[in-house]
Amino acid sequence: MEKIKDLLSFFGGKEKLKEFARQHETPAYIYAKSIVEHNFLAYQKHLSENQGRVCVAIKANSNPELLKILAAHGAGVDVVSWAEAQRALDCGVPGQKIVFSGVGKRRSELERAIDAGLAAINVESQAEFELIQNLCKEKQKRVRLSFRLNPNVDANTHPKISTGMFENKFGMDHLQVEDLYKRSHQDPWIQAVGIHFHLGSQIFTQDPYDQALDQAFTLIDQLRKQSMIVEFLNVGGGIGLREQSIEEHIHAIEMHMKKIVDESHGKNIKIFVEPGRSIFGNAGILLTQVLYRKQTSHKTFVIVDAGMNDYMRPALYEAPVHLEYLGESKNHETMDLVGPVCESTDTFAKNITFTVCMQGDILAMMHVGAYGYSMSSHYNLRSRPAEFLWDGAQYRCIQEEILA
Ligand code: LLP
């Protein structure tokens, strides 16, 4: 727990956060600018411009102010809809630094991607490839494509966030990728430039990456032997986040990048990475206030003003919530921490032993900067919460609360 406590200092510290909560509506997301930057630079330092690119997966967090900070550091982005691509363009990320993944890109999205000249569209199926071929021919425009390999590797993560197995809808097998790569070679409008994989999210071991890298390099060798050009290998994102200090997290990124760069050494290939959670996760907290204590004959419920619409990972994946108490109580009790949404799954923690929370007390949910706000909704016609940035001196509102 100490490690997490230290983390609060990156958000202004306990006292400032309490003062913030007295002056602003809760729930509210707060991001630490310095953590976003640290995390990004830990990746970036391993990849100079000619060694590859860090394409931040902005589905994890697409706040424009955070994107502008990353763009200023030279970040590329990984997007999964044209709206994400447009937001990145608006925030100063050039088209040549954008990769576009996803199994279900619409025709209009592909048209825009072709017009914008992206770094690559990640092709996920033969049908998508053929649509792109037709669009390029109609438009008489060239496009850069990379092909998403499904290596059928178990990333040992929650099944709901695994993407690199045949069971999952993503990517194509080795033979399909090889076939489409060759077909690109025959098409004057298609420039095949890379191979892509993404194994899943919340991955804590290097082994799945090693297995996928092996497969990808075998495929790349085969393609090159047939005179195809492979500029880059995109190894996706996936580095996990748990209750850990900033230093431990940065260390995990460094070790991952070192391994990837070492294994690709001498292969004459650029490396792209697409981190999402490991850039934003520990850079965001959600402040919430205790609305009521409710004692039943069975248990104690502590009801807070944040709900599953504000932070849905516990409801969706049984993700644990790391809590920090900002009140004055000293005693502990066993309780359920729940939100106001009309669903029993609107539960952040069940039967935990935690500090006795009184009405009005403030809690911080830690490590919620990734897939927190970006997955929030207006369910029950609740507002989407405001977002603030702590820049080391002050809290700046970077997204007003949105009323339903
Ligand atoms: N690249 C691609 C193609 C992806 O699909 C994803 C995430 C990433 C990169 C970034 O992965 P990360 O570094 O963030 O693990 N909502 C879930 C996570 C879904 C991830 C989807 N794809 C959660 O809250 O755990």
Side-chain angles (χ1 to χ4, degrees):
M1 226 26 175
E2 271 317 303
K3 293 169 181 170
I4 299 282
K5 277 217 173 76
D6 297 343
L7 199 53
L8 279 181
S9 63
F10 286 84
F11 297 85
K14 199 167 160 175
E15 292 312 313
K16 279 225 155 44
L17 285 166
K18 274 161 64 173
E19 192 186 318
F20 172 94
R22 278 194 293 273
Q23 293 164 354
H24 298 86
E25 284 288 328
T26 52
Y29 278 95
I30 301 179
Y31 305 110
K33 181 171 185 249
S34 67
I35 301 182
V36 174
E37 291 180 315
H38 270 103
N39 291 342
F40 176 74
L41 295 173
Y43 278 101
Q44 169 104 323
K45 76 178 209 196
H46 292 272
L47 297 174
S48 68
E49 191 68 17
N50 53 3
Q51 285 168 318
R53 172 149 300 140
V54 185
C55 294
V56 175
I58 62 170
K59 63 186 73 104
N61 193 315
S62 46
N63 181 285
E65 293 307 310
L66 298 184
L67 293 193
K68 284 179 201 160
I69 291 169
L70 290 166
H73 283 290
V77 297
D78 161 57
V79 301
V80 72
S81 67
W82 182 257
E84 283 189 356
Q86 188 61 58
R87 180 164 299 181
L89 290 167
D90 293 345
C91 292
V93 179
Q96 312 88 276
K97 290 187 180 179
I98 300 178
V99 290
F100 188 4
S101 311
V103 295
K105 306 177 196 81
R106 290 159 186 261
R107 182 190 174 96
S108 60
E109 293 185 302
L110 289 170
E111 288 199 61
R112 290 189 176 121
I114 293 165
D115 290 339
L118 302 188
I121 299 175
N122 277 326
V123 176
E124 304 236 15
S125 65
Q126 180 177 327
E128 183 192 1
F129 176 74
E130 287 166 358
L131 175 56
I132 295 173
Q133 281 190 306
N134 290 338
L135 292 174
C136 287
K137 201 166 160 204
E138 266 170 38
K139 288 176 172 288
Q140 303 273 295
K141 276 198 172 151
R142 290 198 88 197
V143 71
R144 287 165 58 87
L145 299 184
S146 52
F147 295 86
R148 181 162 177 177
L149 175 69
N150 181 326
N152 198 28
V153 163
D154 186 353
N156 297 318
T157 183
H158 192 292
K160 285 190 182 164
I161 50 175
S162 160
T163 54
M165 299 185 72
F166 288 159
E167 180 63 23
N168 309 126
K169 66 183 173 181
F170 300 97
M172 296 169 284
D173 66 28
H174 184 117
L175 287 176
Q176 278 180 308
V177 170
E178 192 179 354
D179 176 50
L180 295 186
Y181 220 101
K182 285 195 211 152
R183 282 168 63 181
S184 307
H185 209 50
Q186 321 294 322
D187 187 324
W189 302 109
I190 307 285
Q191 197 185 350
V193 287
I195 297 294
H196 173 234
F197 63 75
H198 171 71
L199 304 177
S201 212
Q202 275 293 59
I203 303 175
F204 291 103
T205 53
Q206 199 62 32
D207 183 56
Y209 290 98
D210 291 343
Q211 290 180 43
L213 276 173
D214 257 8
Q215 286 192 41
F217 282 128
T218 307
L219 173 59
I220 290 166
D221 279 348
Q222 281 169 1
L223 294 170
R224 283 177 167 170
K225 279 196 187 112
Q226 298 169 80
S227 317
M228 316 273 158
I229 291 167
V230 187
E231 267 177 38
F232 67 81
L233 170 62
N234 182 341
V235 302
I239 293 296
L241 188 65
R242 52 185 151 205
E243 220 164 312
Q244 60 195 358
S245 67
I246 302 283
E247 290 75 23
E248 285 165 323
H249 180 62
I250 297 284
H251 182 70
I253 295 174
E254 301 265 357
M255 295 316 287
H256 173 68
M257 287 307 290
K258 198 175 163 335
K259 270 293 237 131
I260 303 264
V261 169
D262 281 354
E263 287 181 33
S264 53
H265 188 74
K267 294 211 158 56
N268 189 23
I269 194 151
K270 290 185 183 180
I271 296 294
F272 283 21
V273 288
E274 300 173 334
R277 191 188 317 272
S278 50
I279 299 289
F280 301 110
N282 58 356
I285 63 177
L286 180 62
L287 282 194
T288 183
Q289 186 173 154
V290 176
L291 295 177
Y292 304 105
R293 291 175 58 78
K294 174 170 172 174
Q295 225 101 38
T296 72
S297 53
H298 275 74
K299 46 172 49 178
T300 302
F301 294 98
V302 171
I303 304 167
V304 290
D305 60 3
M308 63 185 273
N309 70 298
D310 302 299
Y311 182 57
M312 89 181 299
R313 298 195 68 254
L316 202 56
Y317 317 113
E318 284 105 36
V321 172
H322 307 152
L323 290 171
E324 191 62 40
Y325 174 72
L326 305 186
E328 304 303 326
S329 297
K330 299 279 177 267
N331 296 332
H332 288 75
E333 66 179 350
T334 301
M335 57 93 161
D336 281 13
L337 188 79
V338 301
V341 170
C342 199
E343 299 267 353
S344 288
T345 188
D346 185 27
T347 297
F348 292 111
K350 230 177 166 50
N351 291 322
I352 54 163
T353 302
F354 192 70
T355 317
V356 176
C357 296
M358 303 308 289
Q359 207 164 4
D361 279 352
I362 302 296
L363 299 175
M365 296 187 193
M366 310 299 290
H367 287 167
V368 297
Y371 307 108
Y373 186 87
S374 67
M375 288 173 74
S376 67
S377 77
H378 287 301
Y379 185 42
N380 283 191
L381 286 193
R382 283 169 53 82
S383 302
R384 291 181 74 190
E387 294 174 288
F388 291 81
L389 184 69
W390 171 254
D391 61 8
Q394 56 179 354
Y395 299 103
R396 182 160 65 87
C397 183
I398 54 173
Q399 172 64 60
E400 303 274 354
E401 174 183 350
I402 304 176
L403 300 179

